[in-house]
Amino acid sequence: MRPPADKVTPISGFPELLPAERLAELHFLDTIREVFELHGFAPLETRAVEPVERLLGKGGDAEKEIYGVSRLAGDDSGRDAALGLHFDLTVPFARYVLEHAGRLQFPFRRYQIQKVWRGERPQEGRFREFTQADIDVVDVGELAPHLEAEMPLVIAEAFRRLPVGEFRIQVNNRQVPEGFYLGIGLTDVAGTLRIVDKLDKIGPEKVAALLVEAGATPEQARLALALADIRSSDLSFVDEVRALGVSHPTLDAGLEALAAVITVGMQRAPGTLVADLRIARGLDYYTGTVYETQLVGSEDWGSVCSGGRYDSLASDGRTTYPGVGISIGLTRLVHLLVTKRGLTASRSTPAAVLVAVVDEESRTRSDAVAAALRSRGVPCEVAPTAAKFGKQIRYADRRGIPYVWFPGAGESGQDQVKDIRSGEQADADATTWDCPAADLRPTLLTSQG
């Protein structure tokens, strides 16, 4: 009697890519890592779990986001603290800095590309398990302001190397809305920010109503919305804010800091950085510059890269470690590109060559060819069976492998290699043959070209 088949069902929020899509994602990972290292960021990986108390204390209202970790029966380790999977990379990084401060050189520049877990309702572009790619710079006591301009420029360099199309990095400084709100008499800065942050979801009229409901006058609500409506890729935003007739020392400091970031952006990445005074970022620990990144034409996707400055995220009570960082939502970005723009790789395998097998008795010769090619950096695989050559060619074609190698196929018994796209076939030696650079690795493809 045949055993019953296991029913396999997907678990929502835990994405799994097909091989060609995963190869595309790996290209993103490799490119981003290369750019991070070019800018001197050191690699780091932290443990997957943190005490739940630390996760709750550093991430704001995060209780609903935390996946708790249960011990197996009989495991007596760690009974003194409940553990949870980290929901971002900033909280474990802050802990890492405190734990290893005596062995780190400051300012400490790190990048971290790692899985995180977030217990929220899965929806398009939002997952329960996903990969983030973060960079941060942390210093002791004070942080050089020029680092706030460096973060988005590193991201801009990485994105320019990737098939993401046109993008904009929106920049604000938390001191701008804070000083502005205080200048017009709104003392609940955090509450006002939370309401204004809903602009894209509910529109200005409903936001104005919520502000009035929270205690603002209609004129204060009008001014708060006027501030949120200001954006520019040059320094004109400063005059637009001044034209609203509001003054406060915190506002002055914020405008000066934001102008410095935009000035560097104008010099090194013209048109890429945009001062957008609506951007606030939701986490409580941002205190200075904040960033959000959108792909032009796909603004409905929301931000695919965000971050900001934090002045006291890491502190041991004696020493404070201010920092600034920015994070690419890698899984979110790749998933949206795969589903919306057809991102994939040109083949579903890294192999550029399929080495044919004449018959099973001569498989060792095919294996030797493959070994010679691999020793010279050419990815290849040996045909799974000694089928007719036509079937072996079709096998390569289905997987997107551009070349098939035929041991001993030449008139004098020499090997030959065939480009199955053009049909060209020529004598070749595995110790000297050069695979064209364009075919050596899978290339990225999108439906937008």
Side-chain angles (χ1 to χ4, degrees), residues 26 57 75 81 90-91 113 123 144 161 171 191 194-195 223 254 264 368 385 426 437:
L26 287 173
D75 180 4
T90 307
V91 173
I113 302 176
Q123 52 188 299
R161 298 185 181 204
V171 187
R194 281 193 293 269
I195 294 173
L223 287 169
V264 175
T385 64

Side-chain angles (χ1 to χ4, degrees), residues 23-46:
L23 284 168
E25 183 179 50
L26 287 173
H27 177 85
F28 273 60
L29 284 164
D30 291 342
T31 300
I32 291 167
R33 179 177 58 81
E34 180 183 1
V35 171
F36 287 173
E37 292 186 356
L38 283 172
H39 286 263
F41 291 91
L44 185 68
E45 180 171 291
T46 57

Side-chain angles (χ1 to χ4, degrees), residues 177-189 192 214-217 219-221 223 246-248:
E178 178 183 350
F180 189 88
Y181 298 155
L182 293 174
I184 61 176
L186 294 175
T187 56
D188 183 7
V189 173
T192 304
T217 67
E219 177 61 12
Q220 288 172 326
L223 287 169
V246 178
S247 61
H248 193 276

Side-chain angles (χ1 to χ4, degrees), residues 96-106 140 316 321:
Y96 182 94
V97 169
L98 292 176
E99 188 171 336
H100 300 281
R103 292 177 288 173
L104 300 177
Q105 298 296 318
F106 293 95
V140 178
D316 60 8
Y321 301 89

Side-chain angles (χ1 to χ4, degrees), residues 5-152:
D6 290 336
K7 184 178 180 180
V8 178
T9 56
I11 302 176
S12 62
F14 294 84
E16 295 178 330
L17 299 174
L18 293 173
E21 298 163 353
R22 174 58 174 163
L23 284 168
E25 183 179 50
L26 287 173
H27 177 85
F28 273 60
L29 284 164
D30 291 342
T31 300
I32 291 167
R33 179 177 58 81
E34 180 183 1
V35 171
F36 287 173
E37 292 186 356
L38 283 172
H39 286 263
F41 291 91
L44 185 68
E45 180 171 291
T46 57
R47 64 198 186 205
V49 297
E50 297 290 337
V52 170
E53 181 181 1
R54 173 169 289 277
L55 293 172
L56 290 174
K58 296 294 186 179
D61 183 20
E63 185 172 5
K64 64 182 180 180
E65 297 183 333
I66 297 172
Y67 276 106
V69 177
S70 299
R71 293 179 294 275
L72 296 174
D75 180 4
D76 293 329
S77 63
R79 288 190 179 278
D80 55 336
L83 300 178
L85 295 172
H86 56 229
F87 58 84
D88 73 357
L89 298 179
T90 307
V91 173
F93 175 55
R95 186 268 310 160
Y96 182 94
V97 169
L98 292 176
E99 188 171 336
H100 300 281
R103 292 177 288 173
L104 300 177
Q105 298 296 318
F106 293 95
F108 178 48
R109 302 167 66 89
R110 86 81 165 87
Y111 78 86
Q112 194 167 345
I113 302 176
Q114 200 170 336
K115 293 278 191 182
V116 300
W117 296 267
R118 192 165 295 177
E120 61 181 354
R121 183 175 64 85
Q123 52 188 299
E124 186 176 62
R126 302 187 73 87
F127 305 102
R128 293 169 172 169
E129 178 184 68
F130 53 97
T131 298
Q132 288 186 187
D134 289 20
I135 50 173
D136 285 84
V137 182
V138 172
D139 211 337
V140 178
E142 295 185 7
L143 186 75
H146 67 81
L147 295 170
E148 296 178 60
E150 181 183 0
M151 295 294 108

Side-chain angles (χ1 to χ4, degrees), residues 216-257:
T217 67
E219 177 61 12
Q220 288 172 326
R222 183 191 70 80
L223 287 169
L225 288 172
L227 178 73
D229 199 43
I230 294 173
R231 61 185 48 82
S232 70
S233 57
D234 54 27
L235 299 181
S236 61
F237 72 90
V238 176
D239 291 335
E240 292 185 59
V241 174
R242 296 300 188 196
L244 295 176
V246 178
S247 61
H248 193 276
T250 302
L251 174 62
D252 295 340
L255 288 174
E256 182 180 356

